[in-house]
Structures are given as structure tokens and as C-alpha cells.
Amino acid sequence: MRRPLVAGNWKMNLDRAGAVALARAIAERAGSLPDVDLLVCPPHVYLDAVGQALAGSRVALGAQNMYHEASGAFTGETSAAMLLDLGCRYVILGHSERRHILGETDQMVEVKVVAALAAGLTPIVCVGELLSERQAGQTANVIRRQIEGSLAGLTAADVERIVLAYEPVWAIGTGQVATPQQAEQVHLDLRTILAQRYNAQAAGRVRIQYGGSVKPANAGELLAQPDIDGALVGGASLKAEDFLGIAAAAEAVR
Ligand code: PGA
């Protein structure tokens, strides 16, 4: 049985005081949701403060990105070891905003995934199609290409240690959520790809989150789908009430 993982991607939002207050509000009520794994991913500069606010709670800390090299002359970048040093257990990699705004390729994502696993971080690897790709009937091909590229160097055992997030780009921050059927179909396609490339055990064990305009009101239906194992939440993760409402929905449909 896969445990749902509900993760908040705070993106480039909040200030230090707001980040700490949000973390505290989530941590205080996390104890009432024992059957869901909870994670928050604040901006890098607030990881330390948020980590301290979460201390002793069951809410995990994660980062929104990292660089694949261990150390050295890489101005502005952050290594996996640095994230671990601040208490991070997860790192989001290949988010669509990094792919489409910052120009990350599958190959760049892949070296980060390998480095994160080697360091002992759990990567949340994001994939998802553009609206034009969905309209052209290309969703399955796009997802396959992203998976094959972003996970190129991984073994079946590695795949069991990652989390995948299916985030249709047209649903991110738009309020236009995928229907539960649309999302479930892609999650099923992802497991089929993994079963073909690796094996049935890896495909069955990997957790696949859905992301894109998840709110308390639509979370229940999405998370009730058999292959949707949690949510990667942007906008709604900035309000403790909404984030916890989504986590409660994940717990209710188990
Ligand atoms: P959203 O973002 O929930 O605001 O649509 C999701 C994400 O980008 O991870």
C-alpha cells in the first residue's frame, strides 16, 4: 500500500516571518493526520528557519531545486549535501517552471536526480504536458519522453526510491484542474512505462502525486483515484487551512 504524500511547493513566495508562521500552523495540526506524509518546500533562503519551526513535528522539509555537483565554483547554486545539512529529506526536480522558464532539459533533470539519490535525498521528479501538446493528442508521448530522459540513469531499485509528480502545465496556477479521469489515465500510463522500462515491482511501489490547481474542494475526487498517491500543491499550500484540508482529503479516501 502506497502512503499518500501531500507536499506544499511554496515557490518564490512569503517572507521569513510568513514562512515560519505557515510552517508552525501546519506542524501544529499535522499530528491529526497520521496516515498521510506531509512535506513543505520553502524557498532555499528560508529552509533553515522553516526546518527549525518544523522540529519535532511529522512534517518533512524539502527544497524546490538543487545543483548536481557536490561543491565548487558554481555561483548561486546549492548542493544536495547543503540541503541535507539543513534537514531536507526531499527535493523537487524538473518542475515545469524550471523546465519552461529556466530552460531545464530532461538531461539536466536526470543528473540532478542521480545526484540527489546518491546523497540520500528523495527526488520528486515532475513531468507534464503543455496545453498545445494535450490538444495535439501528444500527452502520452510527452510523458514517456520526459520519463525516459529524466530517469535515464536509474535502476529499478533507484526508481522505488523516487516520487513522481504528474503536473499538466495547463493546470498549474490556472484554476483549471485536470479531471480525476484525465489525471488517473496519465498516472496509469506512467506506471505502464515504468513497468516496461524497469519492472512491475518498481512501477507498483513508486508514489505518483498529482499537481495542478489542487484545492480542498477537488482533492477528494482526485486522491480517490487508485493510482494517485498524493498531491503537489502550489497556491493552496500557502494557506495552512487549505493545505491541511487537502491532506485531510487524502486521509479520508484511504
Ligand atoms: P498550483 O501549483 O497548485 O498553484 O497549480 C502546483 C505546482 O506547480 O506544483
Side-chain angles (χ1 to χ4, degrees):
M1 183 76 183
R2 299 180 297 263
R3 268 176 77 79
L5 171 64
V6 174
N9 174 8
W10 295 359
K11 306 192 180 181
M12 198 173 74
N13 291 300
L14 302 166
D15 57 15
R16 184 188 173 96
V20 168
L22 179 56
R24 285 208 182 111
I26 293 168
E28 267 166 26
R29 287 158 59 193
S32 63
L33 298 162
D35 295 326
V36 180
D37 289 343
L38 295 171
L39 164 68
V40 295
C41 302
H44 276 24
V45 288
Y46 303 136
L47 280 169
D48 198 16
V50 167
Q52 288 176 36
L54 297 175
S57 81
R58 46 179 307 280
V59 183
L61 184 68
Q64 300 172 19
N65 181 38
M66 56 165 255
Y67 196 59
H68 65 279
E69 294 285 357
S71 65
F74 304 103
T75 302
E77 296 295 333
T78 307
S79 71
M82 291 170 182
L83 298 180
L84 284 163
D85 194 21
L86 294 183
C88 287
R89 288 175 42 207
Y90 293 84
V91 59
I92 299 170
L93 295 175
H95 188 277
S96 74
E97 286 145 20
R98 296 212 59 86
R99 290 177 186 268
H100 297 293
I101 303 174
L102 284 309
E104 279 191 17
T105 62
D106 286 327
Q107 208 179 2
M108 289 161 75
V109 175
E110 195 259 350
V111 289
K112 293 183 183 197
V113 174
V114 170
L117 283 172
L121 284 169
T122 298
I124 298 179
V125 184
C126 305
V127 297
E129 81 287 3
L130 298 165
L131 182 59
S132 55
E133 293 167 335
R134 174 162 284 267
Q135 287 170 337
Q138 289 301 311
T139 300
N141 291 339
V142 170
I143 301 298
R144 178 177 289 277
R145 192 185 67 226
Q146 289 176 333
I147 285 289
E148 288 177 353
S150 306
L151 307 185
L154 270 57
T155 65
D158 291 335
V159 169
E160 291 187 24
R161 293 171 52 214
I162 70 168
V163 174
L164 285 177
Y166 168 55
E167 297 202 304
V169 180
W170 48 271
I172 295 178
T174 58
Q176 200 190 338
V177 65
T179 66
Q181 294 71 29
Q182 283 175 323
E184 171 63 15
Q185 182 60 56
V186 177
H187 284 232
L188 212 52
D189 290 348
L190 283 167
R191 282 195 212 284
T192 305
I193 294 167
L194 294 177
Q196 288 165 350
R197 266 185 80 81
Y198 302 97
N199 57 46
Q201 179 177 300
R205 285 192 176 165
V206 69
R207 290 192 286 187
I208 310 179
Q209 300 176 300
Y210 168 78
S213 296
V214 179
K215 307 272 182 286
N218 59 29
E221 254 196 317
L222 286 160
L223 294 166
Q225 301 302 310
D227 289 288
I228 300 184
D229 310 314
L232 182 53
V233 187
S237 73
L238 296 172
K239 286 195 184 130
E241 189 91 0
D242 288 353
F243 183 67
L244 290 161
I246 293 165
E251 180 133 326
V253 298
R254 290 203 84 218

